[in-house]
Amino acid sequence: AQKITQTQPGMFVQEKEAVTLDCTYDTSDPSYGLFWYKQPSSGEMIFLIYQGSYDQQNATEGRYSLNFQKARKSANLVISASQLGDSAMYFCAMSKAAGNKLTFGGGTRVLVKP
Amino acid sequence: GAGVSQSPSNKVTEKGKDVELRCDPISGHTALYWYRQRLGQGLEFLIYFQGNSAPDKSGLPSDRFSAERTGESVSTLTIQRTQQEDSAVYLCASSLSPGLGNEQFFGPGTRLTVL
């Protein structure tokens, strides 16, 4: 069975600073994908970034980058130059090849301070 | 609209009643997923549809839960004899195909409250 663990229930970050959100996973499948989603207080789920298990390079999307350490089974999200609008819940999720259904972690709440 | 839509946005029901939740996926998306999000928690997978294949029901928590999808269009999630523990936000997502890594586009969710 797959499992995703996010050990930080909440974090404060100063505006314009970088923040790292931790995510560890457990799977026996060789082929899998790792996603990060943002959920603002409005409740919508916003896709941020994706990393495939066979991707050689860490994924980047604008201010978001994924620090993928396969041997450690970690997929931490780094948000650079934090903005007030980054205040939200952040979820790490994993999928496997068959069906791409997502298994989510418990989330980390980020609050950006001005 | 271009996104995934869900209805109703809110549903309040009494314990023991049946409820039906609706999801309209993005046109052309063959894969459709239902998830449940309890207050303060992450999303839990419920069921997955791909085209005309048999659905993957491995996440349904009990036989009170069922879902249907006609072809590649609308899906309905039905909860029979609702219990207070069913109170949650039910989110639907669709993707172009179920291939690994394909982005799932989420709807706004239906907030279900069972009194």
Side-chain angles (χ1 to χ4, degrees):
Chain A
Q2 299 179 111
K3 186 176 180 181
I4 294 278
T5 303
Q6 295 181 253
T7 58
Q8 306 152 309
M11 299 182 71
F12 287 100
V13 59
Q14 201 66 41
E15 192 179 10
K16 300 181 184 177
E17 292 186 350
V19 61
T20 298
L21 308 183
D22 295 340
C23 173
T24 58
Y25 60 91
D26 188 20
T27 182
S28 56
D29 293 297
S31 180
Y32 53 88
L34 296 155
F35 298 76
W36 278 92
Y37 280 86
K38 172 184 178 181
Q39 188 177 46
S41 56
S42 57
E44 63 193 297
M45 293 291 287
I46 302 168
F47 166 77
L48 296 178
I49 197 166
Y50 168 77
Q51 179 89 39
S53 60
Y54 293 118
D55 293 343
Q56 295 295 313
Q57 297 200 345
N58 287 342
T60 61
E61 290 285 349
R63 294 187 299 111
Y64 304 107
S65 60
L66 200 152
N67 184 2
F68 181 46
Q69 298 190 41
K70 195 170 182 177
R72 294 186 177 184
K73 293 189 175 180
S74 74
N76 298 340
L77 177 71
V78 180
I79 306 173
S80 62
S82 296
Q83 301 172 356
L84 296 179
D86 294 335
S87 294
M89 281 290 286
Y90 289 81
F91 291 100
C92 180
M94 178 169 60
S95 69
K96 37 182 202 180
N100 202 35
K101 55 191 181 186
L102 297 170
T103 300
F104 284 83
T108 295
R109 182 172 299 280
V110 173
L111 184 60
V112 180
K113 299 186 293 183
Chain B
V4 177
S5 61
Q6 293 185 245
S7 61
S9 55
N10 280 285
K11 176 72 176 178
V12 180
T13 190
E14 293 180 348
K15 179 180 173 181
K17 301 278 190 180
D18 298 352
V19 296
E20 193 171 278
L21 313 180
R22 176 186 169 108
C23 171
D24 283 88
I26 294 172
S27 178
H29 280 196
T30 66
L32 186 147
Y33 307 81
W34 283 97
Y35 296 89
R36 176 173 71 179
Q37 185 177 27
R38 290 192 164 123
L39 187 64
Q41 298 185 19
L43 282 68
E44 306 167 78
F45 166 77
L46 296 177
I47 188 168
Y48 149 66
F49 295 90
Q50 165 56 25
N52 292 316
S53 302
D56 178 345
K57 304 179 182 180
S58 60
L60 294 179
S62 78
D63 59 8
R64 296 186 296 105
F65 288 72
S66 63
E68 294 183 347
R69 186 186 187 196
T70 306
E72 296 181 357
S73 61
V74 171
S75 175
T76 55
L77 176 69
T78 301
I79 309 173
Q80 295 178 311
R81 304 181 303 281
T82 52
Q83 304 292 314
Q84 289 182 333
E85 67 211 41
D86 300 333
S87 295
V89 176
Y90 289 83
L91 291 143
C92 173
S94 71
S95 68
L96 198 57
S97 79
L100 185 63
N102 278 318
E103 180 183 347
Q104 292 184 23
F105 295 82
F106 283 82
T110 293
R111 182 176 299 278
L112 175 65
T113 303
V114 182
L115 301 177

